[in-house]
Amino acid sequence: MEPQRSPLLEVKGNIESKRPLVKAPSRLPLPGSRLKRGPDQMEDALEPKKKRTRGLGTATKFVMSHPRAPALTTVPQTQGQISAPKVPKKTGPRCSTAVATVLKNQKSGPAVPAQKPGTAAAPPKLGGKKPSKRPAWDLKGQLCDLNAELKCCREKTQTLDQENQQLRSQLREAQQQATALGIERRTLEGELARVQAQAEQSQQELGNLSTHVLELEERLGTQEGLVQELQKEQLGFQEERRRLATLLEEQERTLQASEAALSGSQAEVASLRREAAAQAALLAERGERLHGLEMERRRLHNQLQELKGNIRVFCRVRPVLPGEPTPPPGFLLFPSGPGGPSDPPTHLSLFRSDERRGTLSGAPAPPTRHDFSFDRIFPPGSGQDEVFEEIAMLVQSALDGYPVCIFAYGQTGSGKTFTMEGGPGADPQEEGLIPRALRHLFSVAQELSGQGWTYSFVASYVEIYNETVRDLLATGTRKAQGGECEIRRAGPGSEELTVTNARYVPVSCEKEVEALLYLARQNRAVARTAQNERSSRSHSVFQLQISGEHAGRGLQCGAPLNLVDLAGSERLDPGLALGPGERERLRETQAINSSLSTLGLVIMALSNKESHVPYRNSKLTYLLQNSLGGSAKMLMFVNISPLEENISESLNSLRFASKVNQCVIGTAQPNRK
C-alpha cells in the first residue's frame, strides 16, 4: 500500500496539478535553526497560496477522513520532493529537544486515508491526546494550530537557551581554571626539571673533583718517589765522583813518579805515554759524565720548578713613603709559616673597618678580616736582592730552554715599576728584576761556556698603549717617523712571534742593558692620576730571546724571557669629570682593564685545558702567547699599597691574584732542537 499523504500535501498537489504556483521560501522552522519569524509572518507567507486555492473551484475541495497532522511533522519523501535536513552532531540541546518533540508528535499521529469528496469531517475528540480534525481547506485553522504549537516551541527554546548560556558560562569558567592549572603545572614542571638538572650537574662536578683530587694525590706520590730515587742516584754519582777523584789523584802521583824516572829508562817513558793516553781517555770520560750531570741537573732543576708550580704568585707590599700617613697598627699582618718566624711568610691578613656599619648598641662594628695565601709574601722591609733570590732559579730555567714570563700586577703607585726596573738612582741595592736577571744570565752563560755551550741574547722593549704596540727603543729618525708596530709570525709555519718595525738589540753585558732601560724609561707613556704623580698608562714588555748551542754535541736550545710591567689596575672613577684630559684617562683605563681581564681569561682557559684560548682578544696576550701556555713557566708579583685609603684596590688585586694562584698548567717541555 502506498503511504497516505497529509491533507496539506494533497491540497498542494491538487493546486499544482491545475495551475503552477510560484514557490515562496518556506518560513517554517527547521530542525537545529533558531525561530526568528513571528506568527504574523508565517500567516502572510501562507496567505497567497490559500487565496489561490480558494479560487480554483470545486475541484480543489477535499474532505479529509483523518485528523489534522501536527505541526513540523516529517513528510514521507516521494520522487521530486526534498528530504528533511539531517540534524548535525554538534546541535545544541535546544535544537535536539525541538526535533525530538516533532518526531514524537509525528509518530503519535499516524496518517489516516483521506475521505471521499463530500464526506463530512468527523468532529474532533475532546480528550487532549489527538488533535481535532480540520477540513483540508481550513488552512487558516491549521495555521492557528501551527502558531500555537510554534509558541510552545519558542517557550521551550527560550528555556533551553537560558540553560545553554548557564552551561556555557560554567564551561568557560572551567576552561579558564583548566588553563590556569595547566600554566601552573608547566611552570612547576620547568622548575622541577631545572632543579634536577642543577642537582645532576652538582653531583657530576663533585665526582669530577673527587677524581681530580685522587689523580693529584697519586701524581704527588709518584713524584715524591721519583725525587727519592733521583736523590739516591745523585748520592751514587757523588760516591762515584769521589772514587774517580781518588783514582785521579793516584794516577797523578803515579805520573809524577814516572816523570822522575823518565831520564833513567826509555821503557819507563813508553809506559808513561801509555799512562798519559789512559789519562786522556779518562778525561774524555769525565767530560761525558760531566755533560750527563749537567743535563741531569737541568732535568732536576725543571722538576723542582714544576713541583713549586708552573704558575706561581708572589705578593709584595711596598713600604710607606715619606709624607704618607702611617697605617693603623694591625692593618696588615704576616702570620708565620709552619716552621716558625724563620720560614718565609706565605699568608697575609688584611683588616678592613667600615664606619657605616654599627652594632645595636651604637658602637662601630668590628673590622672585617680578609686572609690570602700565596707562594711567597714579601713584607714592606724586603729588599730587591731578597726578591730576586726567590726568582733566580726561575730565570735559570729560561737559560735551560723553558719559556719564562714574569708579571708585575697591581694598582698605580704600588711599586710595580720599582720591582721590575728599580729606582731612578744608581744605587745597586735598588736594582730591579730586569738588570739583576740579565746579570745572572750573563754569569751562568759564562760558566757554561767551559762545558762547550755558547749563548746569545737579543733584547727588545715595547709597550702596549690603548691596544697599540709602540717601540720603546726607537731613536732618531725611527722615533720621529713613529712606524706602526704589528705582531706577526716570524715566517710561514713558524710559531715564533715578532713585532714589525720594532728594534731588536743584541746584548752581552750589563752596561748595554742599563742603556736600554734608560731609553725605554724616557719613551714610555706616563700621566698624572689620582693615585700617582707619574703613573705608567701602558703595559711594558721586556723580551730577551735566549739562544744556546753546543757545537761539539750538536745541541741547540732557545726560549724567551718576558719581564712585564703591567699598567695600573685601578677601577674607573664614576665621579670623574669628563674634560679633555679626563676622557683620555677614561679611554686608557678602559683599555688597561680590558687587557687585564683578557689575561685572567687566558690563564683560566689554560688551567681548564679549554680547546680555545682567547689570545687574540688583547695585544698583550697575543704577544705573550708562546710564554703563557704549554711549556711556559709563569710568575706574577701582585704589588699592593700599605695605606688604608687604598684598601679597596688592594683587595681587588689580591682577589685577582688568588684566582691566578689556583690555576695549574701542564708539565713544561724545553725548546730544544
Side-chain angles (χ1 to χ4, degrees):
M1 296 177 61
E2 294 183 359
Q4 296 182 357
R5 302 172 63 185
S6 64
L8 183 60
L9 292 178
E10 290 181 359
V11 172
K12 289 179 65 177
N14 294 331
I15 294 173
E16 290 175 357
S17 62
K18 297 294 183 179
R19 192 172 81 186
L21 300 177
V22 178
K23 295 184 179 180
S26 176
R27 302 190 182 210
L28 295 179
L30 295 177
S33 63
R34 297 181 180 269
L35 300 175
K36 297 182 179 179
R37 302 180 184 272
D40 297 337
Q41 295 176 346
M42 183 71 71
E43 184 177 358
D44 294 339
L46 296 177
E47 186 66 22
K49 291 185 179 181
K50 182 176 65 174
K51 292 180 179 181
R52 286 194 298 270
T53 305
R54 290 178 181 176
L56 292 177
T58 58
T60 60
K61 296 181 180 179
F62 294 92
V63 178
M64 309 302 295
S65 61
H66 58 80
R68 182 179 56 86
L72 296 178
T73 55
T74 304
V75 181
Q77 292 184 358
T78 58
Q79 284 187 348
Q81 291 181 349
I82 301 175
S83 63
K86 296 182 180 180
V87 180
K89 293 182 180 181
K90 297 184 180 179
T91 307
R94 179 182 61 185
C95 298
S96 301
T97 306
V99 175
T101 304
V102 173
L103 293 177
K104 184 176 179 180
N105 294 335
Q106 181 182 2
K107 290 181 180 180
S108 61
V112 179
Q115 295 181 357
K116 294 182 180 181
T119 306
K125 296 181 180 181
L126 300 175
K129 295 183 180 179
K130 294 183 181 180
S132 60
K133 296 181 181 180
R134 291 183 181 273
W137 51 266
D138 192 4
L139 296 178
K140 188 172 183 180
Q142 293 179 8
L143 180 60
C144 291
D145 295 337
L146 290 175
N147 289 334
E149 192 168 353
L150 178 61
K151 183 177 181 181
C152 295
C153 291
R154 286 179 177 175
E155 293 175 355
K156 293 181 182 180
T157 302
Q158 292 177 358
T159 305
L160 293 175
D161 285 339
Q162 294 176 357
E163 295 177 358
N164 189 16
Q165 291 177 359
Q166 294 176 358
L167 292 175
R168 286 184 177 179
S169 63
Q170 294 176 2
L171 177 60
R172 285 193 294 271
E173 293 176 357
Q175 289 177 348
Q176 293 175 357
Q177 293 178 359
T179 303
L181 291 175
I183 294 174
E184 184 176 1
R185 178 181 62 81
R186 288 192 293 272
T187 305
L188 293 176
E189 287 177 351
E191 184 69 19
L192 178 60
R194 185 180 63 80
V195 171
Q196 290 177 351
Q198 290 180 354
E200 292 176 358
Q201 183 178 4
S202 300
Q203 190 68 22
Q204 184 178 4
E205 291 178 356
L206 179 59
N208 294 337
L209 290 175
S210 300
T211 305
H212 188 57
V213 168
L214 293 176
E215 292 177 357
L216 291 178
E217 290 177 353
E218 182 180 357
R219 186 182 300 174
L220 180 59
T222 304
Q223 296 293 339
E224 289 176 352
L226 183 59
V227 169
Q228 292 177 359
E229 293 179 1
L230 292 174
Q231 289 176 351
K232 293 179 181 179
E233 188 176 354
Q234 185 178 10
L235 292 176
F237 286 150
Q238 291 176 356
E239 291 293 334
E240 180 70 15
R241 181 177 176 276
R242 285 193 290 270
R243 188 183 65 82
L244 291 175
T246 303
L247 180 60
L248 180 60
E249 291 175 358
E250 293 176 358
Q251 293 292 338
E252 288 176 352
R253 288 194 295 269
T254 303
L255 180 59
Q256 292 174 1
S258 298
E259 288 176 350
L262 180 60
S263 59
S265 175
Q266 284 292 340
E268 293 180 359
V269 172
S271 177
L272 289 174
R273 287 179 178 175
R274 287 192 297 271
E275 290 178 1
Q279 290 294 330
L282 181 61
L283 290 175
E285 182 181 355
R286 286 185 61 193
E288 290 289 335
R289 187 173 297 276
L290 185 60
H291 175 73
L293 291 174
E294 171 61 22
M295 301 306 292
E296 183 67 13
R297 181 204 63 78
R298 294 192 178 195
R299 188 178 68 83
L300 292 175
H301 175 80
N302 178 65
Q303 190 173 9
L304 178 61
Q305 296 301 313
E306 288 180 354
L307 291 176
K308 290 183 178 180
N310 283 339
I311 296 183
R312 282 182 282 172
V313 179
F314 293 167
C315 177
R316 187 178 188 185
V317 183
R318 71 167 176 83
V320 179
L321 301 178
E324 292 181 343
T326 303
F331 174 66
L332 283 174
L333 295 180
F334 304 92
S336 302
S342 59
D343 273 0
T346 58
H347 293 80
L348 170 68
S349 297
L350 188 146
F351 291 84
R352 180 178 187 177
S353 60
D354 192 352
E355 298 178 357
R356 296 173 297 179
R357 298 173 55 201
T359 60
L360 295 177
S361 62
T368 306
R369 177 174 177 174
H370 301 274
D371 295 326
F372 298 92
S373 176
F374 300 102
D375 297 287
R376 176 71 188 272
I377 294 178
F378 297 93
S382 302
Q384 297 281 66
D385 54 346
E386 183 180 353
V387 174
F388 178 75
E389 183 180 357
E390 190 66 28
I391 70 164
M393 301 295 287
L394 188 63
V395 175
Q396 176 68 38
S397 297
L399 204 64
D400 294 343
Y402 298 92
V404 176
C405 190
I406 301 177
F407 295 95
Y409 173 83
Q411 72 174 115
T412 299
S414 59
K416 302 185 302 298
T417 305
F418 179 83
T419 300
M420 300 304 293
E421 298 181 5
D427 187 0
Q429 297 297 327
E430 293 185 357
E431 284 185 338
L433 298 184
I434 296 178
R436 291 175 184 268
L438 268 70
R439 185 187 303 117
H440 178 76
L441 291 175
F442 294 150
S443 175
V444 177
Q446 184 65 28
E447 294 176 2
L448 291 177
S449 63
Q451 300 180 16
W453 286 95
T454 303
Y455 285 92
S456 62
F457 306 91
V458 179
S460 65
Y461 211 168
V462 298
E463 72 170 355
I464 300 174
Y465 175 76
N466 285 348
E467 289 302 299
T468 302
V469 182
R470 296 180 178 179
D471 184 14
L472 295 178
L473 302 181
T475 58
T477 57
R478 192 186 191 94
K479 180 179 179 181
Q481 292 174 357
E484 185 178 2
C485 297
E486 295 292 336
I487 304 172
R488 295 285 185 267
R489 298 284 181 184
S494 175
E495 294 295 330
E496 183 180 356
L497 296 175
T498 60
V499 180
T500 60
N501 296 327
R503 184 183 174 197
Y504 288 85
V505 182
V507 291
S508 59
C509 64
E510 301 172 17
K511 295 296 182 180
E512 296 176 350
V513 176
E514 292 176 1
L516 295 180
L517 293 179
Y518 178 79
L519 178 61
R521 194 178 295 114
Q522 299 299 319
N523 293 335
R524 189 173 181 186
V526 295
R528 179 178 180 179
T529 63
Q531 278 76 24
N532 199 359
E533 180 70 18
R534 182 178 173 84
S535 172
S536 301
R537 307 306 296 160
S538 64
H539 308 300
S540 68
V541 182
F542 179 86
Q543 286 187 320
L544 185 70
Q545 186 65 38
I546 305 173
S547 300
E549 181 180 6
H550 195 295
R553 300 183 181 276
L555 299 178
Q556 293 181 353
C557 66
L561 172 64
N562 297 276
L563 301 172
V564 185
D565 180 10
L566 298 174
S569 61
E570 59 271 12
R571 294 168 297 178
L572 292 174
D573 186 5
L576 186 66
L578 295 180
E582 286 76 12
R583 283 196 293 269
E584 183 66 23
R585 300 291 84 77
L586 177 63
R587 287 193 295 269
E588 292 172 356
T589 305
Q590 289 175 343
I592 291 169
N593 292 339
S594 175
S595 60
L596 293 178
S597 299
T598 302
L599 177 62
L601 293 176
V602 167
I603 295 176
M604 293 297 177
L606 292 172
S607 175
N608 298 332
K609 304 294 190 297
E610 295 180 5
S611 58
H612 172 69
V613 181
Y615 289 119
R616 291 181 176 269
N617 290 1
S618 170
K619 293 291 183 64
L620 175 66
T621 53
Y622 184 46
L623 178 62
L624 300 176
Q625 62 175 319
N626 293 334
S627 300
L628 295 178
S631 61
K633 301 178 185 298
M634 282 189 292
L635 173 64
M636 175 178 287
F637 278 94
V638 52
N639 298 77
I640 63 173
S641 170
L643 303 181
E644 189 176 10
E645 63 185 14
N646 296 328
I647 186 172
S648 297
E649 295 297 337
S650 298
L651 284 175
N652 289 334
S653 301
L654 292 172
R655 287 166 182 162
F656 178 83
S658 296
K659 292 181 181 179
V660 174
N661 196 30
Q662 295 173 1
C663 298
V664 178
I665 297 182
T667 305
Q669 300 293 332
N671 294 333
R672 295 176 182 169
K673 303 178 182 179

